[in-house]
Amino acid sequence: MITLNKCATQGRGRLINILMSCIALLALSGCGGGMVNVKQAFDANPRMVVAEIPNDQFKIGLLVPGRENSKGVRGLARCASVMSCLVETRAMPAEYKDIADVVTEEMRAGLGKPEIKSAKGMNIPMRQNVIGPETPDWDKTEFDMVIQPSISVTYTETISTVAAAPFTYSLDGSVTILIRRKDAKGDWEVVKPNMFGYVEVARVSKKIEMTTSTYKSIEELQAMLPPSAIANELREKTREGMKKFIAEMKAAK
């Protein structure tokens, strides 16, 4: 699933970025023996698949700070003044859609397991959730482990105290992976390299060189800096991040 962070703390945005980076470092360092657990899971030689993100879930978004007077602004319902909200989404460019392939390639090469499958093009059975869209029904497949890449790409708006030109924007992208496997009872569990389970393997941020006194729409931001502008860097950082993750996992003791 795409992680677009529909709500994030505006006043603590920088702290969140620092914490996310720390989480990634903790995961890669194997703190608390988490990477040993991941290594043991892979060493058990389960039947693995890297799950492609469905095309209809590929979105880029515009993330804006909430305002106490936000009712009616951009069609937003009122949201807490300390929150940020995703107010617009558009289809993600094709340049991002092969990042799952990078994860598959690095898993195969780094682990020496060419048999790792990619869900791309497979007819995976689906099941209806009580809340939310349909999800893959892995119980009806041959697989014992699923590696799920998750891609987030947003235009992020920041409001400063500069009265003449308070709005600034950046294009931000990140890639995380989540690993799930069947336990001894046949139930699905998250293989946790850290306390959260998610591992950030790549993050890219590019500032849009512009300040303005009025907020911008996603179309205006796309014209200034196309959403594909960070795709290549995000892809290569994903490759580097996967190599580091695999190396740390293999070295875990």
Side-chain angles (χ1 to χ4, degrees):
M1 296 174 61
I2 301 294
T3 306
L4 288 178
N5 296 325
K6 291 187 177 181
C7 290
T9 352
Q10 155 65 11
R12 301 175 186 171
R14 184 174 299 175
L15 177 59
I16 287 173
N17 286 336
I18 293 172
L19 288 174
M20 288 300 293
S21 299
C22 291
I23 289 168
L25 289 173
L26 287 172
L28 293 178
S29 66
C31 288
M35 291 300 282
V36 173
N37 297 334
V38 178
K39 181 180 181 181
Q40 291 172 344
F42 279 95
D43 285 348
N45 294 314
R47 292 165 294 185
M48 292 176 272
V49 63
V50 177
E52 178 100 28
I53 299 170
N55 287 342
D56 61 354
Q57 292 183 25
F58 264 95
K59 302 289 183 182
I60 61 170
L62 173 57
L63 193 68
V64 305
R67 306 169 183 79
E68 290 185 0
N69 63 345
S70 63
K71 187 175 182 179
V73 175
R74 297 170 168 165
L76 274 178
R78 185 186 178 102
C79 62
S81 60
V82 295
M83 301 300 289
S84 292
C85 301
L86 194 71
V87 296
E88 298 182 57
T89 60
R90 297 293 183 272
M92 189 168 300
E95 289 89 341
Y96 289 96
K97 294 182 180 180
D98 66 347
I99 288 180
D101 295 337
V102 172
V103 174
T104 306
E105 292 166 9
E106 293 304 322
M107 296 294 286
R108 287 172 177 167
L111 296 173
K113 294 180 180 290
E115 69 273 16
I116 294 176
K117 304 293 186 183
S118 169
K120 188 174 184 178
M122 285 186 179
N123 186 19
I124 304 295
M126 304 295 286
R127 66 181 178 187
Q128 184 65 53
N129 288 332
V130 177
I131 299 176
E134 289 186 329
T135 56
D137 189 350
W138 297 111
D139 284 332
K140 294 181 180 178
T141 70
E142 63 182 293
F143 302 111
D144 306 310
M145 181 181 286
V146 180
I147 300 100
Q148 174 71 68
S150 181
I151 305 169
S152 170
V153 181
T154 60
Y155 288 97
T156 306
E157 177 183 285
T158 303
I159 303 177
S160 72
T161 56
V162 180
F167 297 99
T168 57
Y169 294 88
S170 61
L171 177 60
D172 304 308
S174 67
V175 178
T176 61
I177 59 170
L178 180 70
I179 302 168
R180 298 171 63 231
R181 69 166 177 180
K182 282 185 179 179
D183 63 17
K185 296 180 180 179
D187 297 323
W188 287 93
E189 65 177 4
V190 175
V191 181
K192 292 186 176 181
N194 55 50
M195 65 183 295
F196 299 100
Y198 288 94
V199 180
E200 184 179 90
V201 295
R203 177 171 287 272
V204 174
S205 181
K206 188 175 181 64
K207 183 179 179 181
I208 299 177
E209 298 299 331
M210 171 271 305
T211 55
T212 175
S213 59
T214 58
Y215 61 77
K216 299 298 181 182
S217 69
I218 198 168
E219 283 83 5
E220 291 173 308
L221 295 169
Q222 286 177 314
M224 296 175 195
L225 183 67
S228 59
I230 61 172
N232 288 337
E233 185 178 0
L234 189 62
R235 185 183 303 106
E236 291 311 307
K237 288 205 171 191
T238 299
R239 192 177 299 280
E240 294 170 8
M242 287 302 301
K243 288 181 186 295
K244 291 178 182 178
F245 175 77
I246 293 167
E248 292 290 342
M249 179 186 68
K250 291 169 71 174
K253 296 180 180 179

